[in-house]
Amino acid sequence: MSSDEKVRSSMDAARDPAAPVLPTVNPDIEKPQPEVASLHPAVYIASWITLSSSVIVFNKWILDSAGFHFPIFLTTWHLVFATVMTQILARFTTILDSRKKVPMTGRVYLRAIVPIGVFFSLSLICGNQAYLYLSVAFIQMLKATMPVVLLLATWGLGVAPPNMKTLGNVSFIVVGVIIASLGEIKFDMTGFLYQCGGIVFEAIRLVMVQRILSSAEFKMDPLVSLYYYAPACALMNGFVCLIMEAPRLTMADIQMVGGFVLFANALVAFLLNVSVVFLIGKTSSLVLTLSGVLKDILLVFASMFLFGDPVSLLQAFGYGIALCGLVYYKLGAEMLKEYIGQGGMMWADFGARKPVARKLVVFGVVLTGMFLVLAGLAPTFAPESDQLLKSKIGGLLGEKGA
């Protein structure tokens, strides 16, 4: 018998056979749970585009087509609904737990949140007032100037030094919007001023957020921001509503639109804020920029199809220049070249691996483009059919509201 066998046999003899054998794996340690499969980023992008477009079209329909000419009341109702929903989410879910990291005190709330909330309320009021005078298509074209106004606001408030090169980069946006404005068939100066005011107030609000709440401890996602801003803004908007709209607002006006429609409108507006939180966490700045451009283009076609808003060729040409300038400004020349190169390589690789799928994608894009163009031209070349379809959609919404 070898020495190793003698040692092993002596150890076995010394072991008490009645003693429990220690397990090689600790049973108290929980087994790692498999990772939950997350949704594809395209789902979050599609959800955000759908909700964002739905809010704009929904507001336009209520304020214009449905004859409910009370934009301040509608804005106040959205904020009250958002206040209630964020309070419920804060108490019964974990989606707003990041608010606990924000050192919010009464002094900070009065000095930071309330002033920002004032400009937030003004931007919402002016933005909704514009729906009474301008088409959705033209409003979206005017909104393309937001980066320019935001840039000027950062210079004016001393947040960033003036940069002529950056100003030159955004000049294409200004030129495009000017051309689009000259081509607007139903131009209204009152609505134009309201929309410009909303853009200016929103730009000032964003700069104030950047300046006052710039420290890391005050970083808040859109939903947490809504949790803090909504109550203050609801009070301010409610006060303005009492003075300007409450004297002529009756229950008959609310019943004409319908409680269900108002509830659905506020719910869609709130879900938009929820979708933004997930979109930011799941996508890149490139995807956000291109998604915003795609949303604006789709809204222009939706406005032409649903509301019969005319868009001239000059206007479309100017808007195209503005969108190209917007993408160039947000991404920059070098990054744009890099992304285009990467996209070309990925498209070629996709075609090599799945040629049939690539042809189907091309066919689907062409088909969708043709549908959008024909839908946009329908109010001009087939007004009877277009009016019939819109009356059916309006009747359906009216029946639900009743």
Side-chain angles (χ1 to χ4, degrees), residues 55-68:
V55 169
I56 295 173
V57 173
F58 212 161
N59 287 348
K60 174 66 175 178
W61 181 83
I62 291 175
L63 295 172
D64 190 12
S65 302
F68 188 78

Side-chain angles (χ1 to χ4, degrees), residues 73-143:
F73 172 83
L74 188 65
T75 304
T76 306
W77 161 236
H78 285 180
L79 292 168
V80 170
F81 186 89
T83 300
V84 175
M85 291 301 297
T86 51
Q87 292 295 326
I88 293 175
L89 290 177
R91 282 161 176 73
F92 299 104
T93 69
T94 60
I95 194 172
L96 285 170
D97 281 358
S98 61
R99 78 187 191 282
K100 299 175 182 178
K101 302 177 183 178
V102 180
M104 188 63 63
T105 63
R107 181 181 177 85
V108 173
Y109 194 87
L110 290 176
R111 295 186 61 182
I113 300 299
V114 173
I116 294 173
V118 170
F119 286 96
F120 187 39
S121 296
L122 291 173
S123 68
L124 292 175
I125 291 173
C126 290
N128 276 346
Q129 287 280 3
Y131 287 120
L132 299 177
Y133 304 94
L134 302 177
S135 66
V136 171
F138 188 46
I139 288 174
Q140 292 306 120
M141 295 178 189
L142 292 177
K143 285 182 179 180

Side-chain angles (χ1 to χ4, degrees), residues 51 82 120 221-223 226 268-278:
L51 290 169
F120 187 39
D221 63 53
L223 203 55
L226 189 66
V268 172
F270 178 74
L271 290 177
L272 173 61
N273 289 281
V274 177
S275 69
V276 171
V277 177
F278 292 100

Side-chain angles (χ1 to χ4, degrees), residues 264-318:
N265 180 241
L267 180 61
V268 172
F270 178 74
L271 290 177
L272 173 61
N273 289 281
V274 177
S275 69
V276 171
V277 177
F278 292 100
L279 182 69
I280 293 174
K282 299 292 182 179
T283 57
S284 63
S285 59
L286 170 67
V287 174
L288 288 173
T289 300
L290 297 181
S291 299
V293 172
L294 176 61
K295 181 208 69 174
D296 292 339
I297 295 173
L298 293 176
L299 270 173
V300 171
F301 282 108
S303 173
M304 296 168 64
F305 174 67
L306 295 175
F307 305 110
D309 296 332
V311 176
S312 64
L313 292 177
L314 179 62
Q315 198 173 15
F317 174 70

